[in-house]
Each structure stands twice: as structure tokens, then as C-alpha cells.
Amino acid sequence: TDSPLLTADQDAIRVITVNRPDKLNALNAATLDALHAAFDAAAEDAAVRAVVLTGAGPKAFVAGADIAEMSGLSPVQGRDFSQRGQRMMRRVEKMPKPVIAMVNGFALGGGLELAMCCHLRIAADGAKLGLPEVGLGLLPGFGGTQRLLRLVGRAAALELTLTGAPVDAARALALGLVNRVVPAADLEAETMALATKLAGNAPLAMRGILDAIHVGGECGIDEGLEYESAQFGLAFSTEDAREGMAAFLERRKPAFGNR
């Protein structure tokens, strides 16, 4: 069977593309499972230092979950489908390497949920982002209520989910839903430039940062600070930290070896 994904490596960057442009890259069960496997593979591949996730074609990043597939689900199947999507997105969120969502059009419903589980989001200026599930008599089921709340706060999360109305890229930027907005023509170049910068950073230090921010978002400040100190101390066991500090003192560029 044809995979619903394309994967390509550019130096140390793995680009994963949801490739169902005729369906606006909608997420069905097969696509969720393929994404889960692709992120497992990227996590385990030592040559991959950063990941870019996007959708095929100019119209959509991912326009949502596959409504045709969802329409026949029983309540128990609905819960299982939700948990399947949540597991995959949790896999992305807990990646030990930075993941950038390159949002090239519609990111609606499951598509916005997919973008939100990535660590950074860059959107084309014409992108539309939203959680329109309420219009189907449903609610977000792939983590949307939880991640939107944590990214943009309660008032904006309630507005977007209760109205179901999408926001444009400028409003998404103002809300903190995306990190950057760039002209569509520059989207790929800007995203790859950021990914290249991240791929050149010390991988173990980035992993510590990802872990500390992930843990800190879910616990009290004292626990978070304790976790940060432990990760900070652990960094001193790496050759990369010695190299980074030596390079700084010697006024040269560091050469990080992921050790």
C-alpha cells in the first residue's frame, strides 16, 4: 500500500510530509499510525537532529481528522480513535529532538492538534488555524482542549473551541499559537533555516531543555526548578558542554558531537 507519508532527509533534518493532498491531508487511522512509526524512527536515528512536519500541497497542513471515517464510529470506537490520536501526538510532544510544524495552509481540528504537539510552529501568512469540531456536534479529541489551553490560555481556548471559528495567521501569532508568520513563498526556506540552526545545537542540551519545559508545564514551580537543576548538572557530564564552554573561552565556534 502507498504510505500516507513522505519522508526525506536534508543533512541532519528529517522532513515528514502528510501526503493525502486530495483529502487535504486529513488524518485517518492509517495516517495516525504511520506518523507514530515515523516519529519513533526519527527519535531512534542518531543522524536526525531536528524534524520538520508539514502537509503536501499548497492548500493544507492538515485540514482535520477524516470525517468519512469518523461518521460511523460507536461511542467506544470514538474513544479509541481519540486515544489513538492522542498517543501519536504525545509521541511527538515527547520527542527528544526539536520538532517544527511548517503550517502551509489550513490547520483545522486534528490538523491544529497535530501542529500544537510540535515544539515550534511557523505559519504561512495565508494559513487558517482552528478547532471547528463543535460545528459537527463534537469536541476536539486529539488533545486540542488541553494543548490549546496551555498554549494560549483559558479565554482564547474557550473562544476558539466554543465558536469553532478559525483564526488567521496574524491572530494566531498574537495569541501565541504560532511562533512566526512568514510569506508563503518564504515558508520552506525560513523553516529549514530554523531547523538547520537547531540541528547545529548540542543535541543533549536541547533534549534537557525539551524535557525540563515539558515537565515544568505540568508541575509546581519547586518541582520544576529541582528538575532543571538535575538536568543542568547532568549537562556537565557531556563532552558537548566542555566543548561549548571551551569554544566560548577560546572565541571559536563549537563542534558538537552528541556526546
Side-chain angles (χ1 to χ4, degrees), residues 52-78:
V52 170
L53 175 63
T54 193
K59 284 190 190 162
F61 172 71
V62 168
D66 194 321
I67 311 294
E69 187 177 86
M70 287 197 320
S71 61
L73 299 181
S74 72
V76 170
Q77 289 171 327

mmCIF file of all heavy atoms in Angstrom, residues 52-78:
data_model
loop_
_atom_site.group_PDB
_atom_site.id
_atom_site.type_symbol
_atom_site.label_atom_id
_atom_site.label_comp_id
_atom_site.label_asym_id
_atom_site.label_seq_id
_atom_site.Cartn_x
_atom_site.Cartn_y
_atom_site.Cartn_z
ATOM 1 N N VAL A 52 11.052 18.366 10.756
ATOM 2 C CA VAL A 52 10.058 19.302 10.232
ATOM 3 C C VAL A 52 8.850 18.481 9.791
ATOM 4 O O VAL A 52 8.989 17.486 9.080
ATOM 5 C CB VAL A 52 10.612 20.115 9.037
ATOM 6 C CG1 VAL A 52 9.497 20.909 8.349
ATOM 7 C CG2 VAL A 52 11.721 21.060 9.512
ATOM 8 N N LEU A 53 7.672 18.896 10.235
ATOM 9 C CA LEU A 53 6.428 18.209 9.874
ATOM 10 C C LEU A 53 5.563 19.154 9.051
ATOM 11 O O LEU A 53 5.360 20.306 9.438
ATOM 12 C CB LEU A 53 5.675 17.792 11.138
ATOM 13 C CG LEU A 53 4.295 17.158 10.965
ATOM 14 C CD1 LEU A 53 4.375 15.838 10.203
ATOM 15 C CD2 LEU A 53 3.648 16.933 12.336
ATOM 16 N N THR A 54 5.055 18.668 7.911
ATOM 17 C CA THR A 54 4.207 19.520 7.075
ATOM 18 C C THR A 54 3.199 18.675 6.309
ATOM 19 O O THR A 54 3.147 17.454 6.471
ATOM 20 C CB THR A 54 5.063 20.394 6.131
ATOM 21 O OG1 THR A 54 4.239 21.413 5.566
ATOM 22 C CG2 THR A 54 5.711 19.571 5.028
ATOM 23 N N GLY A 55 2.374 19.355 5.489
ATOM 24 C CA GLY A 55 1.377 18.673 4.671
ATOM 25 C C GLY A 55 1.643 18.931 3.202
ATOM 26 O O GLY A 55 2.152 19.997 2.832
ATOM 27 N N ALA A 56 1.295 17.960 2.349
ATOM 28 C CA ALA A 56 1.539 18.089 0.913
ATOM 29 C C ALA A 56 0.569 19.090 0.285
ATOM 30 O O ALA A 56 -0.581 19.212 0.710
ATOM 31 C CB ALA A 56 1.391 16.728 0.235
ATOM 32 N N GLY A 57 1.065 19.792 -0.731
ATOM 33 C CA GLY A 57 0.211 20.725 -1.467
ATOM 34 C C GLY A 57 0.144 22.090 -0.805
ATOM 35 O O GLY A 57 0.503 22.237 0.362
ATOM 36 N N PRO A 58 -0.315 23.104 -1.544
ATOM 37 C CA PRO A 58 -0.325 24.475 -1.031
ATOM 38 C C PRO A 58 -1.532 24.805 -0.152
ATOM 39 O O PRO A 58 -1.531 25.813 0.541
ATOM 40 C CB PRO A 58 -0.374 25.317 -2.314
ATOM 41 C CG PRO A 58 -1.099 24.442 -3.299
ATOM 42 C CD PRO A 58 -0.754 23.014 -2.950
ATOM 43 N N LYS A 59 -2.564 23.949 -0.174
ATOM 44 C CA LYS A 59 -3.814 24.319 0.491
ATOM 45 C C LYS A 59 -3.837 24.036 1.979
ATOM 46 O O LYS A 59 -4.423 24.789 2.749
ATOM 47 C CB LYS A 59 -4.986 23.558 -0.147
ATOM 48 C CG LYS A 59 -5.426 24.081 -1.488
ATOM 49 C CD LYS A 59 -6.735 23.411 -1.869
ATOM 50 C CE LYS A 59 -7.098 23.723 -3.312
ATOM 51 N NZ LYS A 59 -8.102 22.764 -3.797
ATOM 52 N N ALA A 60 -3.259 22.903 2.374
ATOM 53 C CA ALA A 60 -3.460 22.469 3.752
ATOM 54 C C ALA A 60 -2.212 21.870 4.370
ATOM 55 O O ALA A 60 -1.470 21.134 3.723
ATOM 56 C CB ALA A 60 -4.599 21.445 3.823
ATOM 57 N N PHE A 61 -2.008 22.194 5.634
ATOM 58 C CA PHE A 61 -1.100 21.446 6.503
ATOM 59 C C PHE A 61 -1.821 20.115 6.758
ATOM 60 O O PHE A 61 -1.485 19.101 6.168
ATOM 61 C CB PHE A 61 -0.872 22.246 7.790
ATOM 62 C CG PHE A 61 -0.117 21.519 8.867
ATOM 63 C CD1 PHE A 61 1.237 21.269 8.728
ATOM 64 C CD2 PHE A 61 -0.756 21.106 10.028
ATOM 65 C CE1 PHE A 61 1.944 20.597 9.731
ATOM 66 C CE2 PHE A 61 -0.067 20.451 11.032
ATOM 67 C CZ PHE A 61 1.281 20.194 10.887
ATOM 68 N N VAL A 62 -2.822 20.135 7.588
ATOM 69 C CA VAL A 62 -3.760 19.020 7.745
ATOM 70 C C VAL A 62 -5.106 19.655 8.058
ATOM 71 O O VAL A 62 -5.223 20.444 8.999
ATOM 72 C CB VAL A 62 -3.340 18.074 8.896
ATOM 73 C CG1 VAL A 62 -4.453 17.095 9.249
ATOM 74 C CG2 VAL A 62 -2.066 17.290 8.514
ATOM 75 N N ALA A 63 -6.123 19.350 7.237
ATOM 76 C CA ALA A 63 -7.408 20.040 7.370
ATOM 77 C C ALA A 63 -8.308 19.421 8.434
ATOM 78 O O ALA A 63 -9.394 19.921 8.691
ATOM 79 C CB ALA A 63 -8.135 20.082 6.031
ATOM 80 N N GLY A 64 -7.864 18.343 9.067
ATOM 81 C CA GLY A 64 -8.651 17.776 10.161
ATOM 82 C C GLY A 64 -8.547 16.276 10.202
ATOM 83 O O GLY A 64 -7.730 15.672 9.512
ATOM 84 N N ALA A 65 -9.379 15.671 11.035
ATOM 85 C CA ALA A 65 -9.487 14.214 11.034
ATOM 86 C C ALA A 65 -10.404 13.833 9.877
ATOM 87 O O ALA A 65 -11.110 14.676 9.321
ATOM 88 C CB ALA A 65 -10.036 13.715 12.360
ATOM 89 N N ASP A 66 -10.386 12.569 9.512
ATOM 90 C CA ASP A 66 -11.156 12.093 8.365
ATOM 91 C C ASP A 66 -12.615 11.886 8.785
ATOM 92 O O ASP A 66 -12.943 10.895 9.438
ATOM 93 C CB ASP A 66 -10.523 10.796 7.860
ATOM 94 C CG ASP A 66 -11.025 10.398 6.484
ATOM 95 O OD1 ASP A 66 -12.236 10.570 6.233
ATOM 96 O OD2 ASP A 66 -10.217 9.905 5.679
ATOM 97 N N ILE A 67 -13.472 12.843 8.406
ATOM 98 C CA ILE A 67 -14.885 12.815 8.847
ATOM 99 C C ILE A 67 -15.597 11.573 8.315
ATOM 100 O O ILE A 67 -16.417 10.965 9.005
ATOM 101 C CB ILE A 67 -15.657 14.079 8.390
ATOM 102 C CG1 ILE A 67 -14.888 15.362 8.738
ATOM 103 C CG2 ILE A 67 -17.043 14.111 8.999
ATOM 104 C CD1 ILE A 67 -14.726 15.673 10.183
ATOM 105 N N ALA A 68 -15.265 11.185 7.076
ATOM 106 C CA ALA A 68 -15.902 9.999 6.488
ATOM 107 C C ALA A 68 -15.623 8.769 7.350
ATOM 108 O O ALA A 68 -16.515 7.953 7.591
ATOM 109 C CB ALA A 68 -15.386 9.777 5.067
ATOM 110 N N GLU A 69 -14.390 8.670 7.838
ATOM 111 C CA GLU A 69 -14.039 7.530 8.689
ATOM 112 C C GLU A 69 -14.697 7.652 10.077
ATOM 113 O O GLU A 69 -15.118 6.658 10.665
ATOM 114 C CB GLU A 69 -12.517 7.442 8.842
ATOM 115 C CG GLU A 69 -12.048 6.188 9.566
ATOM 116 C CD GLU A 69 -10.528 6.078 9.646
ATOM 117 O OE1 GLU A 69 -9.940 6.650 10.584
ATOM 118 O OE2 GLU A 69 -9.933 5.420 8.778
ATOM 119 N N MET A 70 -14.804 8.876 10.578
ATOM 120 C CA MET A 70 -15.344 9.074 11.930
ATOM 121 C C MET A 70 -16.862 8.891 12.013
ATOM 122 O O MET A 70 -17.379 8.527 13.058
ATOM 123 C CB MET A 70 -15.005 10.486 12.439
ATOM 124 C CG MET A 70 -13.560 10.666 12.810
ATOM 125 S SD MET A 70 -13.248 12.111 13.852
ATOM 126 C CE MET A 70 -14.288 13.366 13.173
ATOM 127 N N SER A 71 -17.546 9.152 10.898
ATOM 128 C CA SER A 71 -19.012 9.242 10.959
ATOM 129 C C SER A 71 -19.688 7.937 11.367
ATOM 130 O O SER A 71 -20.799 7.943 11.879
ATOM 131 C CB SER A 71 -19.581 9.708 9.616
ATOM 132 O OG SER A 71 -19.238 8.777 8.611
ATOM 133 N N GLY A 72 -18.994 6.801 11.195
ATOM 134 C CA GLY A 72 -19.611 5.527 11.535
ATOM 135 C C GLY A 72 -19.219 4.970 12.898
ATOM 136 O O GLY A 72 -19.586 3.842 13.230
ATOM 137 N N LEU A 73 -18.470 5.737 13.678
ATOM 138 C CA LEU A 73 -17.923 5.197 14.920
ATOM 139 C C LEU A 73 -18.981 5.073 16.028
ATOM 140 O O LEU A 73 -19.827 5.945 16.194
ATOM 141 C CB LEU A 73 -16.777 6.080 15.433
ATOM 142 C CG LEU A 73 -15.550 6.243 14.522
ATOM 143 C CD1 LEU A 73 -14.507 7.125 15.200
ATOM 144 C CD2 LEU A 73 -14.942 4.896 14.155
ATOM 145 N N SER A 74 -18.876 3.998 16.799
ATOM 146 C CA SER A 74 -19.675 3.850 18.029
ATOM 147 C C SER A 74 -18.994 4.661 19.136
ATOM 148 O O SER A 74 -17.843 5.097 18.969
ATOM 149 C CB SER A 74 -19.725 2.379 18.433
ATOM 150 O OG SER A 74 -18.447 1.977 18.926
ATOM 151 N N PRO A 75 -19.658 4.854 20.284
ATOM 152 C CA PRO A 75 -19.015 5.599 21.384
ATOM 153 C C PRO A 75 -17.672 4.998 21.812
ATOM 154 O O PRO A 75 -16.704 5.736 22.028
ATOM 155 C CB PRO A 75 -20.049 5.517 22.505
ATOM 156 C CG PRO A 75 -21.369 5.426 21.792
ATOM 157 C CD PRO A 75 -21.091 4.595 20.568
ATOM 158 N N VAL A 76 -17.608 3.681 21.915
ATOM 159 C CA VAL A 76 -16.348 3.049 22.338
ATOM 160 C C VAL A 76 -15.287 3.221 21.253
ATOM 161 O O VAL A 76 -14.120 3.521 21.548
ATOM 162 C CB VAL A 76 -16.571 1.554 22.670
ATOM 163 C CG1 VAL A 76 -15.231 0.835 22.859
ATOM 164 C CG2 VAL A 76 -17.416 1.425 23.937
ATOM 165 N N GLN A 77 -15.678 3.073 19.973
ATOM 166 C CA GLN A 77 -14.726 3.283 18.875
ATOM 167 C C GLN A 77 -14.275 4.740 18.827
ATOM 168 O O GLN A 77 -13.115 5.027 18.510
ATOM 169 C CB GLN A 77 -15.374 2.900 17.542
ATOM 170 C CG GLN A 77 -15.568 1.405 17.367
ATOM 171 C CD GLN A 77 -16.417 1.085 16.134
ATOM 172 O OE1 GLN A 77 -17.322 1.850 15.775
ATOM 173 N NE2 GLN A 77 -16.128 -0.037 15.484
ATOM 174 N N GLY A 78 -15.190 5.651 19.154
ATOM 175 C CA GLY A 78 -14.841 7.073 19.197
ATOM 176 C C GLY A 78 -13.777 7.348 20.239
ATOM 177 O O GLY A 78 -12.801 8.060 19.980
#
